[in-house]
Amino acid sequence: MLAATVLTLALLGNVHACSKGTSHKAGIVCRITKPALLVLNQETAKVIQSAFQRANYPNITGEKAMMLLGQVKYGLHNIQISHLSIASSRVELVEAKSIDVSIQNVSVVFKGTLKYGYTTAWGLGIDRSVDFEIDSAIDLQINTQLTCDSGRVRTDAPDCYLSFHKLLLHLQGEREPGWIKQLFTNFISFTLKLVLKGQICKEINVISNIMADFVQTRAASILSDGDIGVDISLTGDPIITASYLESHHKAVLETWGFNTNQEIFQEVVGGFPSQAQVTVHCLKMPKISCQNKGVVVNSSVMVKFLFPRPDQQHSVAYTFEEDIMTTIQASYSKKKLFLSLLDFQITPKTVSNLTESSSESVQSFLQSMITTVGIPEVMSRLEAVFTALMNSKGLSLFDIINPEIITRDGFLLLQMDFGFPEHLLVDFLQNLS
């Protein structure tokens, strides 16, 4: 569950400073309800298994005074996992504190080599080496805290507990004296438990933060294309309540240029003579805001018409500079984006080479062509382009159910049910290995 939480919250992380305190000024608020966490919890076992398998188990060495034998030196070497299975897991949200994950009935078989030696009463040194297996049954309790570090989700599990229900040592062939098995079962079990706890808890924490970096890098790719991106850095620590998790993000649109498809605008003014040339330049970056009525896009453009004279030797240029405001409603269904035009306004700023009456006539015609022909064409193309873009970023791989895109003054509300993002987990585990 720890990793599943990071998998979701990290989708909205980047790199900027976090503010501390209870005030969160944000552009995006991501709320994950407890039922959604239970969906994510379904695949927790795979990440926990990776933690067990990736953990580096050091050699365990020591010595013990034994009656008649004196000092017996021993060492467990090359400790590895040969079998691992997890029965179940559950998650609880602790208000303003942590995400508590319980993993039940983790069955683990460790294997390695046991080396031991002692000196007999007759001064004879005995050194032996035998393969072993340790059959164990473990419950795992992880209480995870979520913080913000330079705009990113970070996890810490200060409370990590392993409870051993079973820890049995099996020596290869069982031909060694019974006291050897009894010695190492009784004496090193405590040391072995400490080593396993330390290594497994450490690896779980490492993997969860590796996952955070992995998903946040993927999110940065999904939310950017060419010169357009969104700064969605965390503005503070994620909030934990008994019924949901919530994270706050900047959500500042960043653009470094704007290229206009000239063919679209040529079609928009298709009523003009075919010899006419039309060029469109965006004078400043579009500003996007969310309002109750929809997503409002403000831009300033310059449209230049070049008409040939009858002698075909010279051309007359007419230039319009206008502010354009469009209000759009977006929806997502069957893995496609749909755009609906709610309002469209053109405000003339400057005109050159036209009389007042001609200017009004041309502007009226231009506005009519844009609203009846151009806008539907442009929006249709944008729907296809943005859908293809989102699919290229992997959005179509998510099982998104009943999505709603709701605009409010100052923010956008996205509500949906979803299936577990299996493809992200598969990619992560492949990269991890």
Side-chain angles (χ1 to χ4, degrees):
M1 186 58 238
L2 151 67
T5 300
V6 173
L7 183 66
T8 304
L9 290 181
L11 285 171
L12 296 174
N14 210 329
V15 285
H16 284 275
C18 310
S19 62
K20 298 297 181 181
T22 57
S23 178
H24 298 273
K25 184 178 181 180
I28 292 178
V29 176
C30 177
R31 176 173 292 185
I32 309 169
T33 63
K34 187 172 181 179
L37 292 177
L38 296 178
V39 171
L40 295 172
N41 187 51
Q42 296 171 2
E43 300 295 330
T44 299
K46 294 181 181 179
V47 178
I48 298 300
Q49 286 177 345
S50 295
F52 272 85
Q53 292 164 347
R54 275 176 47 93
N56 180 27
Y57 303 104
N59 296 334
I60 300 175
T61 59
E63 58 182 75
K64 172 73 172 177
M66 294 288 295
M67 187 178 300
L68 301 178
L69 296 179
Q71 292 294 115
V72 177
K73 297 182 179 181
Y74 64 87
L76 298 179
H77 301 268
N78 302 320
I79 302 175
Q80 302 175 26
I81 291 177
S82 63
H83 173 76
L84 174 65
S85 65
I86 297 177
S88 62
S89 64
R90 62 183 180 86
V91 60
E92 294 294 335
L93 298 177
V94 180
E95 184 90 21
K97 185 179 180 183
S98 63
I99 306 167
D100 293 356
V101 184
S102 299
I103 313 292
Q104 290 83 37
N105 297 323
V106 181
S107 177
V108 189
V109 177
F110 298 92
K111 66 178 182 179
T113 302
L114 167 63
K115 296 180 180 180
Y116 63 95
Y118 59 93
T119 302
T120 66
W122 301 276
L124 180 63
I126 303 294
D127 292 294
R128 291 287 186 269
S129 177
V130 61
D131 291 337
F132 71 87
E133 284 189 347
I134 297 175
D135 187 7
S136 65
I138 306 170
D139 284 349
L140 182 62
Q141 177 71 35
I142 311 167
N143 302 335
T144 306
Q145 298 173 355
L146 301 178
T147 59
C148 172
D149 180 17
S150 299
R152 290 181 169 274
V153 176
R154 280 291 174 260
T155 69
D156 184 32
D159 299 326
C160 179
Y161 308 99
L162 272 70
S163 300
F164 289 80
H165 302 297
K166 179 173 67 174
L167 189 66
L168 300 178
L169 175 67
H170 302 286
L171 300 179
Q172 186 182 41
E174 296 290 343
R175 292 189 298 270
E176 293 298 314
W179 63 266
I180 293 291
K181 182 174 181 179
Q182 182 179 2
L183 167 67
F184 293 111
T185 298
N186 294 339
F187 180 68
I188 71 168
S189 60
F190 177 75
T191 303
L192 181 61
K193 289 176 183 179
L194 290 179
V195 169
L196 294 181
K197 175 187 181 299
Q199 295 304 113
I200 291 172
C201 290
K202 175 183 176 181
E203 193 61 35
I204 287 174
N205 211 48
V206 168
I207 285 182
S208 65
N209 283 297
I210 291 176
M211 174 172 275
D213 290 333
F214 169 82
V215 180
Q216 288 169 175
T217 300
R218 180 70 61 89
S221 173
I222 291 175
L223 295 172
S224 65
D225 183 64
D227 292 335
I228 300 175
V230 179
D231 174 7
I232 47 175
S233 313
L234 283 172
T235 63
D237 293 342
I239 299 170
I240 301 176
T241 75
S243 58
Y244 62 83
L245 295 175
E246 191 171 272
S247 57
H248 296 239
H249 310 265
K250 286 188 176 181
V252 177
L253 178 67
E254 297 176 339
T255 61
W256 299 272
F258 183 78
N259 295 321
T260 304
N261 189 326
Q262 300 296 326
E263 295 179 358
I264 295 180
F265 287 95
Q266 187 68 53
E267 294 175 9
V268 169
V269 292
F272 283 98
S274 59
Q275 295 85 0
Q277 297 180 15
V278 182
T279 58
V280 181
H281 301 280
C282 189
L283 301 181
K284 59 183 179 182
M285 293 182 294
K287 294 182 179 179
I288 300 177
S289 62
C290 293
Q291 301 179 14
N292 284 334
K293 61 182 179 179
V295 177
V296 178
V297 182
N298 290 281
S299 62
S300 181
V301 299
M302 182 177 69
V303 183
K304 184 176 183 180
F305 296 90
L306 195 63
F307 294 96
R309 290 182 180 275
D311 58 14
Q312 300 295 321
Q313 297 300 316
H314 301 86
S315 299
V316 179
Y318 302 100
T319 304
F320 298 85
E321 185 178 333
E322 300 174 324
D323 289 334
I324 300 177
M325 183 177 71
T326 56
T327 305
I328 300 170
Q329 180 64 55
S331 61
Y332 188 81
S333 176
K334 298 180 180 179
K335 301 188 183 299
K336 293 183 180 180
L337 178 70
F338 296 93
L339 301 175
S340 301
L341 180 66
L342 303 181
D343 189 30
F344 183 85
Q345 297 179 21
I346 299 178
T347 304
K349 294 181 64 178
T350 61
V351 180
S352 65
N353 288 345
L354 281 179
T355 64
E356 183 176 349
S357 59
S358 298
S359 174
E360 293 177 356
S361 176
V362 173
Q363 287 181 347
S364 176
F365 176 78
L366 180 61
Q367 182 165 348
S368 176
M369 291 299 295
I370 289 177
T371 55
T372 59
V373 179
I375 292 299
E377 175 67 22
V378 171
M379 292 184 64
S380 176
R381 294 195 182 193
L382 289 178
E383 287 173 348
V385 168
F386 284 130
T387 297
L389 175 62
M390 290 187 296
N391 289 342
S392 72
K393 302 295 186 178
L395 185 64
S396 60
L397 299 176
F398 286 87
D399 183 16
I400 299 176
I401 306 165
N402 300 326
E404 292 182 84
I405 304 176
I406 305 170
T407 55
R408 293 288 185 265
D409 282 339
F411 66 94
L412 195 66
L413 178 62
L414 306 179
Q415 296 183 159
M416 70 195 75
D417 294 331
F418 59 88
F420 186 83
E422 186 71 29
H423 67 286
L424 284 182
L425 182 59
V426 170
D427 287 350
F428 170 71
L429 294 177
Q430 288 177 346
N431 280 278
L432 198 61
S433 59

